[in-house]
Amino acid sequence: MRRLLRSFSFRLALIYAGLFCLSVALLVGTGYWLRVTVPMDEVRGRLEREAEQLQTAYGRGDLPPLAAALERRAARLDGPMAFHALLTPEGRTVAANLPSWPLQPRRDLLFIEADAFADGVEIDHTALVRDIRLPNGARLLVGRDVEELINEGEILRTAAVWILGVTLLLGLGGGWLMSRAIGRRIEALTVTVRQVMEGDLTGRVHVRGTADDFDRLGETLNMMLHRIQTLFQAVQRVSDNAAHELRTPLARLIGRLEALEHLAPDASPARLAAGEAIVEANRLQQILSALMRISRLENGRHPLHLQRTDVVQLLEDLFEFYQPEAERIGTNLIVSARRPLVADLDLDLVFQALSNLLDNALKHAGAGCRVEISAMREAGGLVLSVRDDGPGIADEDAARVTEQFYRAAKASAVPGEGLGLSMVAAIAHAHGATLELVAAHPGLRVSLIIPEHHATGAEQRGTI
Amino acid sequence: MHILLVEDDAALATHIMAGVREAGHVVEHCADGRDALVRATCECYDAIILDRMLPTLDGLKILAALRATDDATPVLILSALGDVDERVRGLRGGGDDYMAKPFAMSELLARLETLARRNAPVAETTSLLRVADLEIDLAAHSVTRAGRRIALTLRELRIVAYLARNAGRVVTRTMLLENVWDYNFDPQTNIIDQHISKLRQKISEDNEAELIHTVRGVGYMMRGA
């Protein structure tokens, strides 16, 4: 329901229905005013005038002439049926064709039921009555029949309720249908765009062939996607070829350098320089491999080999691998995870990711610190974290550390290429996981949150 | 050793041949896939270094054809396709080892040595290994030096066993990583060195001779005296 209310097309339909109801209400209101309010006001005015005239003409004299005048008024057929009642100051009736009236006089106009019988059939009448006290103490009630006006008003009111109700229902129903129809087509667009966003560039919007607005939008989008795909493939080819073409010359370069190192006399400056050059060339090769791997992971071309994994075993192996290094630099390395903790993971990739995180933690936290690797199952899925209590990172760095080659300002003293976290981010992406960097006060906590349900989805994508 | 090198890049081939010859081996070179297959099936080599991307025939196809004739010559695949998947494909396709380009000559030589040895009758099934006064009984999970029992973790035992099996030959860090750890990954720091240094402390006490030697720029070698 909230989703429906948030939908743009439904809100539009709602506004439309509202405006439609308003115009219908205005129409019915005008009819009511013309047919009921105005005639009723006329009757009211006439009564006031009649009461005024009778009061001036007969108000101070005897009652019989007034009674005669009232009888004449009732007999005249110059408007709605006339009603009256004349009472002496003591309350005795002198003349009346009203069936009843209130005991105490009232100052305002009042409605009195004045049903009449003709030939044994009851005819409904309602009289609008003016009740006045004459100067001679007599009480005079004069009225006019407004039964028809009241009936008409009732009919119009009932009609208004029905018309508005039906209009509102039609408006809402129509709005719902419209929003569903539009919503479906927008949803189709959204699904395609999301599919493309997740790395499947072959996704295309389904076009109905009706050449309507959505079809045109879909066609334009498809053309755009086709263009992006072409460009992307071109870039891919270039970078693949580049990386590939770079490897062989690099191998030759390293070969030549090794030959050079070998030829130079022991401990000569030339030999040292050659050795350093080899180290640099190897670094170049590592960067190249890492870049290629990241790019393959990021665009979903690296197939995931998911397997049922004992996560605690994974952490223990990681611990075992890094423990000697942690001991050397004087860091307290801790694993906290409890069996059973099983998940479908790409073992090598997750090990690589955690290894990079641990490597970073050990490098940046330094001696005397505590580094904790933990795994637990939470509502969002499996959470694998590496936490240190070292200096942590600045907020502005947190957003950028996963960028390739980005290195935080204060990390410049620590060796590295700035690709470790990019690799972790790419591995997270391949697993449909999120990478989270949170200040742990003190230190930093980096978590991989791997949603459970995604495991099967990732496998499907991996096989494309 | 008699080695066949299949590599289409002339400059790289020259470099590899120079290196392999210098290490005391006989090497033949061919640059074409079909030619390579013919030679490999006709002659008997101790090891083959095989490039993957060759003119006329993919390296893996040559390998498949070779293995189809029950030829068990050790094959080291050398390729610019260095990704884990490619590696797995190469090894599943019958390769005995896989190296990504670019590589260090020393690494190539070290791997060639172990490869050729692997083919030798001294099978890996031997559960008793001996280097100088160090004895490793894999079946009993026990390591003793001059009668002194050395307590090792399972991983340390695997490192020692691998080094001992290749005693007298260089073992690179990558080789250790690939053979001792069950994960296929690329550590960013030389963590292996720390494992070795811990192991050294356990194996060699104060006045005992060092058994695990560092080969500068390449890796390690286990040898007595």
Side-chain angles (χ1 to χ4, degrees):
Chain A
M1 188 66 201
R2 279 181 72 176
R3 194 190 149 127
L4 190 67
L5 281 178
R6 257 184 310 176
S7 117
F8 168 72
S9 45
F10 187 74
R11 279 201 314 251
L12 205 66
L14 217 59
I15 293 168
Y16 177 75
L19 282 175
F20 197 59
C21 283
L22 195 69
S23 61
V24 167
L26 262 173
L27 207 68
V28 175
T30 311
Y32 187 87
W33 185 72
L34 282 175
R35 302 281 305 186
V36 180
T37 315
V38 172
M40 194 67 98
D41 280 349
E42 266 171 26
V43 173
R44 201 169 280 139
R46 186 172 181 166
L47 272 177
E48 296 286 357
R49 279 199 307 280
E50 282 177 335
E52 187 76 35
Q53 284 167 5
L54 289 168
Q55 190 174 6
T56 2
Y58 306 99
R60 297 180 186 281
D62 291 337
L63 293 183
L66 175 54
L70 287 171
E71 299 289 352
R72 281 200 303 281
R73 172 176 168 270
R76 272 205 303 273
L77 295 169
D78 60 343
M81 193 191 278
F83 291 97
H84 60 265
L86 181 62
L87 294 91
T88 60
E90 297 80 36
R92 196 168 43 77
T93 311
V94 180
N97 65 350
L98 274 169
S100 70
W101 49 85
L103 268 176
Q104 291 302 315
R106 304 237 200 107
R107 299 200 53 80
D108 51 346
L109 287 160
L110 63 149
F111 289 98
I112 294 175
E113 285 292 323
D115 297 348
F117 292 92
D119 304 330
V121 180
E122 187 184 18
I123 305 162
D124 289 336
H125 287 293
T126 303
L128 183 64
V129 176
R130 184 89 178 94
D131 188 348
I132 48 172
R133 179 72 67 182
L134 294 177
N136 55 18
R139 182 181 172 195
L140 171 67
L141 294 103
V142 281
R144 287 276 174 185
D145 182 25
V146 287
E147 178 72 24
E148 259 179 53
L149 292 178
I150 287 173
N151 281 347
E152 195 146 354
E154 243 164 49
I155 290 168
L156 280 172
R157 273 198 301 275
T158 317
V161 168
W162 279 100
I163 290 170
L164 282 176
V166 170
T167 311
L168 201 66
L169 266 177
L170 280 177
L172 286 178
W176 179 69
L177 280 174
M178 191 168 88
S179 93
R180 206 177 56 154
I182 295 177
R184 270 189 190 158
R185 305 200 63 177
I186 290 179
E187 187 61 26
L189 291 177
T190 315
V191 165
T192 310
V193 172
R194 186 161 297 151
Q195 183 190 352
V196 172
M197 232 169 62
E198 279 171 5
D200 177 13
L201 282 175
T202 57
R204 290 292 179 272
V205 180
H206 173 68
V207 178
R208 289 190 180 182
T210 49
D212 61 7
D213 302 358
F214 278 100
D215 264 15
R216 283 216 307 281
L217 178 62
E219 276 163 14
T220 318
L221 207 61
N222 282 347
M223 281 192 289
M224 186 180 83
L225 285 175
H226 180 73
R227 181 109 184 90
I228 290 176
Q229 193 185 8
T230 318
L231 287 173
F232 190 75
Q233 280 166 348
V235 170
Q236 204 88 71
R237 257 197 312 278
V238 168
S239 67
D240 273 8
N241 286 345
H244 198 257
E245 291 303 314
L246 279 173
R247 277 171 178 257
T248 306
L250 201 53
R252 285 197 296 240
L253 178 68
I254 291 175
R256 294 269 156 87
L257 286 171
E258 280 181 340
L260 190 65
E261 189 190 30
H262 210 71
L263 289 173
D266 276 355
S268 67
R271 184 164 204 158
L272 256 104
E276 278 162 17
I278 292 173
V279 170
E280 289 302 319
N282 280 330
R283 229 172 105 177
L284 191 62
Q285 183 256 325
Q286 272 167 10
I287 295 175
L288 195 63
S289 305
L291 277 179
M292 277 177 76
R293 202 154 172 216
I294 290 170
S295 116
R296 282 174 59 105
L297 282 167
E298 272 178 351
N299 56 42
R301 287 191 308 148
H302 184 111
L304 282 188
H305 301 292
L306 294 181
Q307 47 183 307
R308 219 11 62 114
T309 306
D310 178 356
V311 180
V312 181
Q313 184 63 49
L314 182 84
L315 294 198
E316 280 169 1
D317 288 346
L318 196 70
F319 170 82
E320 189 240 41
F321 188 71
Y322 277 96
Q323 176 57 22
E325 173 73 2
E327 249 173 49
R328 187 183 68 83
I329 56 180
T331 301
N332 187 11
L333 190 59
I334 303 166
V335 173
S336 80
R338 201 178 299 155
R339 284 200 172 83
L341 199 53
V342 177
D344 292 324
L345 302 172
D346 186 314
L347 210 57
D348 291 333
L349 285 182
V350 173
F351 196 85
Q352 176 79 65
L354 291 176
S355 148
N356 287 9
L357 292 180
L358 203 50
D359 205 78
N360 281 347
L362 290 177
K363 264 195 248 170
H364 295 276
C369 282
R370 179 174 177 274
V371 174
E372 181 183 357
I373 344 166
S374 65
M376 67 186 93
R377 202 174 289 277
E378 282 182 3
L382 179 68
V383 183
L384 302 171
S385 312
V386 174
R387 196 210 140 146
D388 66 68
D389 57 0
I393 57 170
D395 285 343
E396 70 261 27
D397 289 330
R400 294 196 58 202
V401 283
T402 58
E403 285 174 23
Q404 292 180 2
F405 302 113
Y406 182 80
R407 306 201 63 221
K410 62 179 168 185
S412 53
V414 181
E417 330 293 352
L419 283 174
L421 267 180
S422 312
M423 174 86 79
V424 178
I427 291 171
H429 175 81
H431 274 89
T434 33
L435 177 63
E436 210 178 66
L437 284 90
V438 187
H441 304 294
L444 179 69
R445 185 180 134 113
V446 189
S447 307
L448 270 176
I449 303 153
I450 306 171
E452 304 289 347
H453 61 84
H454 198 278
T456 48
E459 189 167 41
Q460 281 162 7
R461 215 180 54 213
T463 56
I464 287 168
Chain B
M1 279 203 290
H2 192 193
I3 292 163
L4 175 67
L5 168 68
V6 189
E7 167 66 68
D8 62 322
D9 186 283
L12 193 58
T14 316
H15 163 64
I16 294 174
M17 283 197 288
V20 174
R21 277 194 190 118
E22 201 178 326
H25 308 298
V26 179
V27 61
E28 277 177 40
H29 171 232
C30 78
D32 179 83
R34 282 182 205 290
D35 186 23
L37 188 56
V38 173
R39 284 217 221 172
T41 41
C42 293
E43 282 188 59
C44 187
Y45 294 97
D46 294 310
I48 299 173
I49 304 170
L50 185 63
D51 187 19
R52 282 240 355 226
M53 324 260 279
L54 292 167
T56 71
L57 211 57
D58 181 354
L60 286 187
K61 293 224 176 85
I62 300 177
L63 190 55
L66 198 64
R67 293 294 184 239
T69 61
D70 281 340
D71 189 322
T73 311
V75 172
L76 192 154
I77 303 170
L78 195 58
S79 172
L81 305 170
D83 221 72
V84 179
D85 304 322
E86 296 299 340
R87 197 187 148 76
V88 170
R89 275 183 63 196
L91 294 180
R92 284 211 185 120
D96 297 281
D97 202 351
Y98 196 103
M99 271 181 79
K101 284 181 195 170
F103 56 90
M105 195 62 220
S106 43
E107 176 98 31
L108 177 72
L109 290 174
R111 282 173 189 260
L112 269 183
E113 292 276 355
T114 38
L115 259 193
R117 219 204 106 263
R118 197 182 292 174
N119 207 31
V122 203
E124 293 202 11
T125 48
T126 319
S127 71
L128 200 66
L129 296 162
R130 198 182 308 242
V131 179
D133 52 354
L134 186 73
E135 262 183 39
I136 305 157
D137 186 347
L138 290 174
H141 283 236
S142 85
V143 177
T144 52
R145 182 158 191 194
R148 172 174 60 90
R149 212 183 145 85
I150 302 169
L152 294 182
T153 65
L154 201 59
R155 191 78 60 194
E156 286 165 337
L157 184 71
R158 282 177 71 177
I159 301 175
V160 172
Y162 188 75
L163 287 171
R165 251 195 217 110
N166 293 295
R169 275 182 291 272
V170 181
V171 168
T172 67
R173 294 185 179 85
T174 325
M175 283 160 81
L176 271 175
L177 196 64
E178 281 170 18
N179 289 288
V180 174
W181 275 270
D182 307 312
Y183 297 94
N184 210 325
F185 77 115
D186 184 15
Q188 300 189 310
T189 328
N190 265 336
I191 304 290
I192 301 275
D193 291 352
Q194 306 312 322
H195 284 270
I196 295 291
S197 91
K198 259 191 103 173
L199 198 56
R200 273 180 178 152
Q201 284 170 21
K202 287 189 179 181
I203 288 179
S204 304
E205 287 192 339
D206 302 333
N207 43 11
E208 283 173 321
E210 192 61 74
L211 289 181
I212 305 171
H213 302 269
T214 304
V215 182
R216 204 183 68 79
V218 186
Y220 300 97
M221 186 195 283
M222 186 177 261
R223 92 183 115 78

